[in-house]
Amino acid sequence: MKRLLILAIIALSMLVSVSAEMDYNNSDYYGVINEPGTYVLSEDIISPKWGGILINTSNVVLDGDNHHIICNNGSEETYGVDIYPDGHPIENITIKNAVFKNWTSAIYSDDDSKNVTIRNCEFENNTYFLDSYGIEIYFYLNTIHENQSAESYAPLASPKLVYTYGGTEYTYRLGNYYYGYEGTDTEDEGVYSGVYELDSTTDLYALIKTPENYIITETLYPEVDSEYGGALIADIFALTNDPENYVITDAPVTTTTTRSSGSSGGRSYDSDISDEIDSKVIKNFVSSAAVIFGNEIDQQYAEELRERIQNAENYKISGNAVIVGGPLSNGFAREYNDQFEMPISNDYPGENKGVIQVLKIQDNSGKIVKSYTIVYIAGSDRLGTQAALEYFKTLDELPEGPITVKWTANGPVLVE
């Protein structure tokens, strides 16, 4: 035992911290982190104590640098990393790049802790790889060997991530890789579509491949809005329109959305969006908008943008919108026609000509100010509308000013 304690002190002396050193003068833990800072392991830790590392202060990064934290104690209750505040809340804790072995609870997070991130770790031969009672827990891109479980108040998942998988960039959440688990269905984003059940939590985004196959380029945490005197955290996958626009049925579940998207805005788009739209910016906007038509001809054009469209009759704006067709056939277009820079009529912009325009609407009627974007795609005749719609599908982003196009035998051409 004496030799083990000497080895522990030597290993701990090699632990590097940006702002502080770990305290190893504790009878229960191999080491204690009492001060904020970044701590990097320089070699494996084999702990003869029932506790590995105690963290009892905020703003700590523990980087295992791919070294092991191993329990060498036969107690029935042992903790690899114990996030346990001493009578005060702690937050902003990150544990990464460590291998945990032979613990009862590899990582324990007390209910007085929050904003804890555990990523790129490996867990083997532990009873619980995670035992968490805190809030705002992010647990992702970890590797879990068989015959282990977890307890957590929250599902095991990441923040919203921008990452590359299989050569394609996605914006989505990621979970963890579990040896021996093979889901029945898979998502293009590199996760199983089914729920992986654990003792008292779930992983909704279990990985198909090991974590090194997912290259993270950006982490998108929820934004905090304190405008109304408190911390209002927006859900990172919040609805993009009023709930009335989402219809839930008892029909058999089918895949209706594709969550892949690029880094331009980080929003996913629906699978009913036209494949002829190449720009992810345009796809994201159309996905967020109600596509509104007037007559049957405009309905056919609207369906070339997306399958789910809205009749203009008695339509009231509740979010982003795309107007297809001019004021004669589209009542919603008639309501807003004069607010656009170039109002549409039978005479303007002229025969076989159409215009693409964007209008920002601000609604001050309620206690919360709402802002909408309306895209107006219309012409003096049906070929003008068709020209504007076909040209809109080729845009890289929403235009800042009106774009006038004309229908020709070779398709739409820009009118200078």
Side-chain angles (χ1 to χ4, degrees):
M1 177 62 72
K2 183 176 181 181
R3 180 173 179 273
L4 287 173
L5 290 175
I6 292 173
L7 289 174
I9 293 173
I10 292 173
L12 193 54
S13 69
M14 298 178 72
L15 194 68
V16 179
S17 169
V18 169
S19 61
E21 292 184 358
M22 190 183 299
D23 176 14
Y24 54 85
N25 295 311
N26 189 290
S27 60
D28 295 327
Y29 296 92
Y30 180 92
V32 178
I33 295 178
N34 290 313
E35 298 181 24
T38 298
Y39 299 76
V40 183
L41 295 182
S42 60
E43 64 175 35
D44 295 346
I45 287 178
I46 303 175
S47 177
K49 303 183 180 184
W50 65 266
I53 297 172
L54 170 65
I55 300 175
N56 62 9
T57 187
S58 297
N59 304 314
V60 169
V61 175
L62 176 59
D63 187 346
D65 197 26
N66 299 316
H67 291 296
H68 291 67
I69 302 176
I70 302 174
C71 178
N72 191 32
N73 184 293
S75 300
E76 293 183 358
E77 189 172 349
T78 58
Y79 301 88
V81 170
D82 194 358
I83 306 170
Y84 194 82
D86 186 13
H88 60 280
I90 63 174
E91 59 185 356
N92 304 328
I93 307 297
T94 296
I95 302 167
K96 61 181 181 178
N97 306 324
V99 181
F100 292 86
K101 279 184 158 185
N102 303 335
W103 300 95
T104 305
S105 296
I107 296 178
Y108 175 87
S109 179
D110 187 71
D111 59 4
D112 222 5
S113 61
K114 68 175 183 177
N115 194 15
V116 175
T117 296
I118 302 155
R119 59 180 174 85
N120 297 103
C121 291
E122 185 171 355
F123 299 88
E124 185 175 357
N125 199 37
N126 306 287
T127 304
Y128 294 97
F129 57 84
L130 176 67
D131 190 1
S132 171
Y133 300 90
I135 58 175
E136 297 177 41
I137 297 291
Y138 297 110
F139 189 95
Y140 63 101
L141 287 176
N142 300 292
T143 300
I144 318 297
H145 290 266
E146 294 177 296
N147 302 318
Q148 301 175 90
S149 194
E151 292 190 356
S152 175
Y153 284 164
L156 307 182
S158 68
K160 196 174 184 180
L161 300 174
V162 181
Y163 63 95
T164 300
Y165 171 78
T168 302
E169 185 179 82
Y170 299 99
T171 301
Y172 201 41
R173 278 179 171 149
L174 294 176
N176 306 275
Y177 180 77
Y178 300 88
Y179 278 101
Y181 174 65
E182 293 184 1
T184 55
D185 297 307
T186 61
E187 302 279 7
D188 291 340
E189 293 84 354
V191 304
Y192 289 112
S193 59
V195 176
Y196 184 74
E197 299 282 353
L198 295 145
D199 271 1
S200 64
T201 188
T202 57
D203 193 326
L204 304 179
Y205 309 92
L207 304 182
I208 296 172
K209 294 186 177 181
T210 50
E212 63 266 19
N213 292 282
Y214 306 78
I215 310 301
I216 310 302
T217 56
E218 189 175 0
T219 302
L220 306 171
Y221 288 98
E223 295 181 358
V224 177
D225 185 354
S226 58
E227 179 180 354
Y228 300 101
L232 176 64
I233 301 178
D235 189 293
I236 57 177
F237 284 119
L239 301 180
T240 59
N241 214 318
D242 280 359
E244 65 188 27
N245 295 300
Y246 299 82
V247 179
I248 307 300
T249 70
D250 294 328
V253 176
T254 59
T255 302
T256 59
T257 60
T258 300
R259 299 178 178 87
S260 59
S261 68
S263 58
S264 56
R267 181 179 292 165
S268 59
Y269 50 83
D270 295 339
S271 62
D272 72 332
I273 305 302
S274 170
D275 292 335
E276 295 179 1
I277 302 175
D278 291 328
S279 167
K280 292 178 180 179
V281 174
I282 300 298
K283 279 189 174 182
N284 286 338
F285 178 77
V286 175
S287 180
S288 74
V291 178
I292 306 163
F293 69 92
N295 59 25
E296 292 183 0
I297 294 176
D298 292 338
Q299 178 180 353
Q300 295 174 12
Y301 294 151
E303 289 172 344
E304 293 182 24
L305 292 180
R306 69 181 305 171
E307 295 175 5
R308 287 173 289 175
I309 55 178
Q310 171 72 47
N311 194 299
E313 185 176 356
N314 298 321
Y315 181 81
K316 298 298 181 182
I317 189 169
S318 59
N320 294 338
V322 179
I323 303 173
V324 178
L328 288 180
S329 61
N330 191 319
F332 190 71
R334 189 160 50 250
E335 180 179 352
Y336 287 95
N337 187 56
D338 291 338
Q339 297 185 40
F340 285 90
E341 183 176 337
M342 297 174 61
I344 304 299
S345 68
N346 285 344
D347 300 321
Y348 190 85
E351 185 179 4
N352 297 344
K353 293 180 181 179
V355 184
I356 304 166
Q357 303 180 76
V358 176
L359 178 68
K360 302 287 186 179
I361 298 292
Q362 185 168 294
D363 181 2
N364 300 309
S365 60
K367 294 182 179 179
I368 300 176
V369 176
K370 299 180 181 180
S371 297
Y372 311 122
T373 297
I374 300 178
V375 173
Y376 191 16
I377 301 173
S380 294
D381 50 33
R382 64 180 183 84
L383 289 179
T385 298
Q386 183 178 3
L389 184 132
E390 293 297 332
Y391 198 84
F392 175 75
K393 290 190 287 187
T394 69
L395 296 178
D396 292 328
E397 56 188 15
L398 296 181
E400 295 183 1
I403 297 177
T404 303
V405 293
K406 181 177 182 179
W407 185 260
T408 71
N410 296 319
V413 294
L414 192 64
V415 177
E416 301 295 340

